[in-house]
Amino acid sequence: MDSTKLLPPVKEALEQFPRIFDDKTAYASPLGAAWAPGRVNLIGEHTDYNGGFVLPMAVDRVSAFAGRTRQDQTVRLWSAHFKEYAEFSLDGLPENFDQQRKPLPGWARYVLGVGAELLRAGITLKGFDAVVSGDVPLGGGMSSSAALEIASAEAYALFSDHAFTIGEKDATLTPIETAGLCQRAEHIASGLRSGILDQAASCLGQPRKAVLLDCRSLDYRYLPFEYPNVSLVVIDTGVRRELASSAYNERRQQCEEATERLRDLILQDEPGNEQARGIKELRDISPEQFERYKNQLPEVLRKRAGYVIAENERVLQVVKLLEAGQIEEVGKILWIGHAGLRDEYEVSCAELDALVDIAHDVPGVYGARMMGGGFGGCTINLVRSDAVDALRQAVEQHYPERTGRQASIDICRAAAGPGHVVTQ
């Protein structure tokens, strides 16, 4: 194996493992590593749990495990980021999940949750020791939790001597099945009623491609995303949010209530409308139907539903533009999407708005918007490559003036999905 080709977190975890877990006599297995990427979402925010469309891509930032199989059912982990151990047992899962979850640090609960869901699916697992590393910004809207969950599934597969496999053909779990399993693991680990966007994006990543995912049917197809003169710039506000304690679950509940009210309003006017009887999510309500009935909704529900219905249309617009190679036009839709997140869905914050405003004034920035659940995290920016330095300078100058904070700027590339390697 050529270690120079491994991403930095994978190399870091492999290098640290012998120092952290130095009892070589405890293992009869080779050292191996498993990883999965974070993601950016070009367009389609908060549409996934409304049965809508999303357009993400995996990026070259990963969560990684490096370790060895144990001879028992114990899982021992060391976090290179948090500098702390976590330990749990696969025995008794998933029934004793809540009992084992309580003493664990937050990051380890995701690993436990994935193990519980794999066992619930009837898959046989083995214990392992591993160092956990990563360079997906935590709480930054690039889905560090989903990267950790999908990397956990890859690690369980690797360290359980390939008792199950993940892949497109003749595998125990398809990528979408793996995403769904890890989505359920997030629900039980964090209490966050997340959609499937993040896990699917991590599982489905391909270099130089975005993926259009229908979050209801789970059908997907790839779109080219390779523009030599355009950079995908992620700018981190430095503001961290805890989605489970934020308004995320509240937004989901509001969308469900808006759907029910709109369905009832349509059926009152058109009792024989079979299409209306089948309305289950905002995805099912056309822009024309929304325009007709929106003024009969309470203001907050009108704003939430209006954003989601329009955002689904924006995703489909961007797909057509990417197919036509019109990347500058894609940028214009990002500005509009941010305004909707700020004013209608109300999940932005002063720091995110500041970064988008600063980017708007830099020539060569095609578009920018907040990304992820909201209330902090990152913005995604489509930037002409020769304008990246100007954007960086503008952010370094004006962002601290406006917020009293420092922002970090990174260029990301559409990258491959999860993987693993045995090193010795």
Side-chain angles (χ1 to χ4, degrees), residues 125-138:
L125 302 179
K126 292 184 178 180
F128 61 90
D129 292 343
V131 170
V132 183
S133 182
D135 60 358
V136 185
L138 303 183

Side-chain angles (χ1 to χ4, degrees), residues 379-400:
T379 62
I380 182 172
N381 303 258
L382 278 180
V383 186
R384 200 175 62 228
S385 295
D386 61 10
V388 171
D389 286 343
L391 175 61
R392 187 186 305 275
Q393 290 169 12
V395 169
E396 289 174 351
Q397 177 181 349
H398 298 299
Y399 185 68

Side-chain angles (χ1 to χ4, degrees), residues 1 11 126 133 176 180 214 270 277 287 349-350 360 364 402 412:
M1 180 202 69
K11 290 194 283 187
K126 292 184 178 180
S133 182
I176 287 293
D214 180 331
E270 308 171 52
R277 293 184 187 282
C349 65
H360 196 274
R402 293 185 55 169
C412 290

Side-chain angles (χ1 to χ4, degrees), residues 49-122:
Y49 55 81
N50 287 292
F53 301 100
V54 293
L55 191 63
M57 60 191 84
V59 294
D60 50 350
R61 304 288 181 274
V62 301
S63 180
F65 288 71
R68 296 181 189 270
T69 306
R70 293 175 57 89
Q71 302 306 307
D72 57 22
Q73 291 288 285
T74 298
V75 174
R76 293 193 303 166
L77 305 169
W78 166 260
S79 169
H81 177 82
F82 293 105
K83 307 295 187 227
E84 63 183 348
Y85 281 101
E87 181 175 325
F88 58 85
S89 176
L90 299 171
D91 281 329
L93 285 177
E95 287 76 14
N96 66 4
F97 174 82
D98 288 337
Q99 177 184 349
Q100 292 213 66
R101 174 186 180 275
K102 291 178 182 178
L104 290 176
W107 60 270
R109 293 177 180 181
Y110 295 107
V111 188
L112 175 70
V114 173
E117 291 303 310
L118 286 167
L119 288 165
R120 197 190 309 276

Side-chain angles (χ1 to χ4, degrees), residues 229-244:
N229 299 318
V230 177
S231 294
L232 196 63
V233 179
V234 173
I235 308 179
D236 192 336
T237 61
V239 177
R240 290 296 172 262
R241 76 282 182 272
E242 189 62 46
L243 281 179

Side-chain angles (χ1 to χ4, degrees), residues 42-43 227 230 314 317-337 365-368 382:
L42 192 60
I43 195 77
Y227 299 91
V230 177
R314 285 190 283 268
Q317 281 182 278
V318 168
V319 168
K320 292 179 180 177
L321 292 170
L322 287 179
E323 289 174 333
Q326 296 179 305
I327 193 68
E328 292 185 43
E329 296 300 311
V330 171
K332 295 176 182 178
I333 296 177
L334 298 194
W335 301 121
I336 298 169
V365 176
Y366 297 142
L382 278 180

